[in-house]
């Protein structure tokens, strides 16, 4: 009789031990989940730090690119101004030389005409007078045509130089646009990768919490 009572008394003890074992197992699992959660939280923190580093690097790269473009534009403008100043000075020197040459020619022409006038005044024939005047007109026309051709050639050279400078500036601007497009693509690629990693981390955290 006492033996049966002892068996019945042991059963609650076994149930309690089973509950304690299950409770201990649950605590162990909870501890493991908390450890994994802290690890994942640490990973997320590191990921955020990495995202911040990438953002800072991108901002630095954009700042460098902007500074480079500004410096390049300033340098190109300075070189263009120097080139234009050099061309201007050259044209001024050429003009001064041409003016001096024309003055010399005119002085010579005046002297020759004065000599002709003196000859005519002394009773030279009308034919001589007409021939000399015709010769003077022809020489003046030739000098004018020569001067006009030189000026037209200088204008063409200036237009050509201007076109070359504009083409060089356009090429630089196109290269800057391509560089900016590459930077935007690289930034978007970084953003996509960061978003992908964030989604994976969030999914893993939800899976750990729900398991």
């Amino acid at each position: 009789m006492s033996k049966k009572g002892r068996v019945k008394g042991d059963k609650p003890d076994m149930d309690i031990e089973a509950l304690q074992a299950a409770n201990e197992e649950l605590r162990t699992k909870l501890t493991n989940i908390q450890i994994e959660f802290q690890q994942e939280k640490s990973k997320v923190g590191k990921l955020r730090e990495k995202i911040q580093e990438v953002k800072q690097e991108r901002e630095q790269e954009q700042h460098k690119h902007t500074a480079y473009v500004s410096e390049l534009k300033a340098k190109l403008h300075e070189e263009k101004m120097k080139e234009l100043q050099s061309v201007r000075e050259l044209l001024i020197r050429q003009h001064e030389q041409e003016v001096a040459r024309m003055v010399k020619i005119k002085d010579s022409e005046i002297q020759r005409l004065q000599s002709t006038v003196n000859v005519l005044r002394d009773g030279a024939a009308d034919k001589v007078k007409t021939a000399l005047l015709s010769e003077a007109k022809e020489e003046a026309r030739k000098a004018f045509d020569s001067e006009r051709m030189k000026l037209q050639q200088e204008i063409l050279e200036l237009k050509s130089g201007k076109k070359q400078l504009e083409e060089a500036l356009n090429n630089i601007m196109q290269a800057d646009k391509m560089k900016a497009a590459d930077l935007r693509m690289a930034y978007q690629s970084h953003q996509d990768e960061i978003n992908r990693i964030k989604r994976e981390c969030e999914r893993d955290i939800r899976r750990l919490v729900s398991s």
Side-chain angles (χ1 to χ4, degrees):
M1 188 100 181
S2 61
K3 184 177 182 181
K4 290 181 180 180
R6 189 169 55 251
V7 171
K8 288 181 179 180
D10 291 341
K11 187 175 181 181
D13 293 338
M14 293 176 63
D15 292 340
I16 291 173
E17 290 177 356
L19 287 173
Q20 289 177 346
N23 188 26
E24 186 66 25
E25 184 179 357
L26 288 174
R27 286 181 179 178
T28 302
K29 287 184 177 181
L30 180 60
T31 301
N32 292 334
I33 289 173
Q34 289 176 344
I35 292 173
E36 290 181 4
F37 177 75
Q38 290 298 326
Q39 291 175 348
E40 292 300 324
K41 186 177 180 181
S42 177
K43 290 180 180 179
V44 171
K46 291 181 179 179
L47 179 60
R48 288 178 179 173
E49 292 177 357
K50 184 63 177 179
I51 292 171
Q52 186 65 24
E53 290 177 0
V54 171
K55 184 178 180 181
Q56 290 178 353
E57 290 176 358
R58 179 183 64 82
E59 291 176 352
Q60 291 175 357
E61 184 66 22
Q62 287 182 343
H63 179 72
K64 288 180 181 179
H65 175 69
T66 301
Y68 172 75
V69 171
S70 300
E71 182 181 358
L72 191 62
K73 287 182 179 179
K75 185 177 181 180
L76 180 63
H77 179 72
E78 183 181 357
E79 291 178 353
K80 185 177 180 181
M81 290 298 100
K82 287 182 180 179
E83 181 69 20
L84 291 176
Q85 182 64 24
S86 177
V87 172
R88 180 174 177 274
E89 292 176 355
L90 177 62
L91 290 176
I92 290 174
R93 287 196 299 271
Q94 290 178 347
H95 179 70
E96 291 175 350
Q97 293 174 356
E98 191 62 25
V99 169
R101 187 180 67 83
M102 291 299 296
V103 169
K104 186 177 181 180
I105 291 174
K106 293 298 182 182
D107 290 342
S108 177
E109 184 67 17
I110 290 172
Q111 291 178 1
R112 191 179 67 80
L113 290 175
Q114 186 63 43
S115 298
T116 302
V117 170
N118 292 334
V119 171
L120 293 174
R121 187 180 297 159
D122 292 339
D126 291 339
K127 289 183 179 181
V128 174
K129 177 181 177 181
T130 302
L132 290 174
L133 288 175
S134 178
E135 180 182 352
K137 289 180 179 179
E138 181 65 20
E139 290 181 357
R141 185 186 65 80
K142 289 180 179 180
F144 175 77
D145 290 341
S146 177
E147 180 68 16
R148 183 180 61 182
M149 290 179 64
K150 286 183 178 180
L151 290 175
Q152 288 177 344
Q153 182 64 30
E154 290 175 358
I155 291 172
L156 290 174
E157 291 176 355
L158 286 175
K159 287 182 177 180
S160 177
K162 180 182 177 182
K163 184 178 180 181
Q164 291 177 357
L165 289 175
E166 290 176 348
E167 289 177 353
L169 178 59
N170 185 55
N171 291 335
I172 291 173
M173 292 179 68
Q174 289 295 328
D176 290 341
K177 289 180 180 179
M178 293 177 65
K179 177 70 174 179
D182 292 340
L183 288 174
R184 285 195 295 271
M185 290 178 64
Y187 171 71
Q188 186 60 43
S189 177
H190 282 303
Q191 288 295 107
D192 293 341
E193 182 65 18
I194 289 169
N195 291 332
R196 184 185 66 80
I197 293 172
K198 286 174 67 178
R199 288 195 298 270
E200 290 180 355
C201 289
E202 290 172 355
R203 185 171 62 251
D204 292 339
I205 291 171
R206 288 195 297 271
R207 178 179 58 79
L208 291 171
V209 171
S210 62
S211 60

